[in-house]
Amino acid sequence: MLDSLSQLRAHPRIVLGFTASLFGLHLLGWVLFGLGEAISNAGLSLLIRLIGIALYAISLIWLIDGLTRAGLDLSRGLAPKADALYRWHGACSWHLTRGVLRLTAALSLIVLTSFLSWSLLLLIAEPLAPLPLVVGVVLGGGLALSQLFNACLVVAEGLGATQAFRAGFVLLEQQGPGLLALSAVLLAITGLPFILGLLSELLWDGSGLLITCAVVVPSLCLMATTVTNSYVQWRRIRRGAR
């Protein structure tokens, strides 16, 4: 993580500026979706909601793609280029979209299966009821770990959505403990904006949301560079083993 911080300090403007602009577009999608609920006209309400969902989805994929490219450049000692970050990479973005949808669907299926199994065991074998929940957590956690490098595999190695998804499971088998440690670091970084926002709210009433949103931007940059640095290290190890 220290390497990620030093890399971001070397080229802060382009990465923070890109992240802030895309995060703002992401929030705008949320705002438009919420605004649609307050409009009485059904047709206009649906249109505003669809626009909000589109902005939300596009900005999310764009942010993942751009931060991955920026992180890969920083890990190589290069300065990220604005034209590469702000350009929509059609084929790559499509593969990332399919990867996100595939992961979401798989996790949803695990959650649904675990819940139904838990409900059934409550009726027929109550002492065994927690078992599906434990299995679901393990499976869901393993699936999430396997896809930590999905964007890197798509952007850096040009893999398609299916290839990158499958490669994630091979990576989990080879580097499971390392991915688990990486996920712990990412969870700590994820919680930082909310912790600081809560502390700020306790000290200055009404400032929590503003501080949270402000800290989210550098936190996203730090998460991206941490993932890409880990990916680059793994790739070097893999090449050295050949």
Side-chain angles (χ1 to χ4, degrees):
M1 192 168 68
L2 294 178
D3 290 339
S4 300
L5 286 171
S6 63
Q7 290 167 0
L8 286 173
R9 284 199 299 266
H11 306 283
R13 292 185 180 179
I14 178 64
V15 183
L16 290 174
F18 168 78
T19 306
S21 59
L22 266 295
F23 182 63
L25 189 63
H26 195 67
L27 291 179
L28 179 60
W30 275 106
V31 171
L32 288 177
F33 185 83
L35 183 63
E37 295 183 352
I39 297 177
S40 57
N41 186 291
L44 182 58
S45 174
L46 178 60
L47 177 61
I48 295 297
R49 289 185 185 184
L50 290 176
I51 293 175
I53 293 173
L55 282 178
Y56 175 86
I58 291 172
S59 61
L60 175 63
I61 299 301
W62 204 337
L63 187 62
I64 294 173
D65 180 89
L67 282 178
T68 301
R69 294 179 187 276
L72 289 170
D73 284 339
L74 290 173
S75 65
R76 298 169 184 145
L78 304 174
K81 297 180 179 179
D83 59 343
L85 300 186
Y86 286 99
R87 187 171 76 248
W88 179 261
H89 301 268
C92 185
S93 298
W94 171 239
H95 291 312
L96 290 175
T97 302
R98 289 176 59 199
V100 171
L101 292 175
R102 192 179 302 232
L103 176 61
T104 303
L107 289 174
S108 300
L109 180 61
I110 290 174
V111 170
L112 178 61
T113 303
S114 299
F115 176 76
L116 292 177
S117 301
W118 170 75
S119 301
L120 179 62
L121 287 176
L122 277 179
L123 298 175
I124 62 175
E126 186 173 350
L128 298 177
L131 184 59
L133 301 180
V134 174
V135 173
V137 169
V138 173
L139 291 177
L143 179 61
L145 285 177
S146 72
Q147 302 305 307
L148 284 179
F149 289 162
N150 183 275
C152 294
L153 292 169
V154 171
V155 174
E157 302 191 19
L159 298 183
T162 302
Q163 291 174 310
F165 195 78
R166 292 174 178 172
F169 291 102
V170 177
L171 180 60
L172 178 62
E173 182 179 356
Q174 297 174 347
Q175 301 291 331
L179 290 176
L180 190 60
L182 175 60
S183 69
V185 174
L186 295 178
L187 286 175
I189 297 174
T190 302
L192 184 61
F194 302 101
I195 294 174
L196 293 179
L198 179 60
L199 292 176
S200 177
E201 184 68 25
L202 292 175
L203 295 175
W204 300 285
D205 189 31
S207 64
L209 181 60
L210 179 62
I211 295 299
T212 299
C213 291
V215 179
V216 161
V217 172
S219 296
L220 288 173
C221 298
L222 183 58
M223 289 175 66
T225 51
T226 300
V227 171
T228 51
N229 279 333
S230 299
Y231 166 76
V232 169
Q233 291 175 7
W234 166 74
R235 190 166 62 175
R236 288 171 182 168
I237 294 173
R238 185 180 62 175
R239 287 178 176 176
R242 290 178 177 176

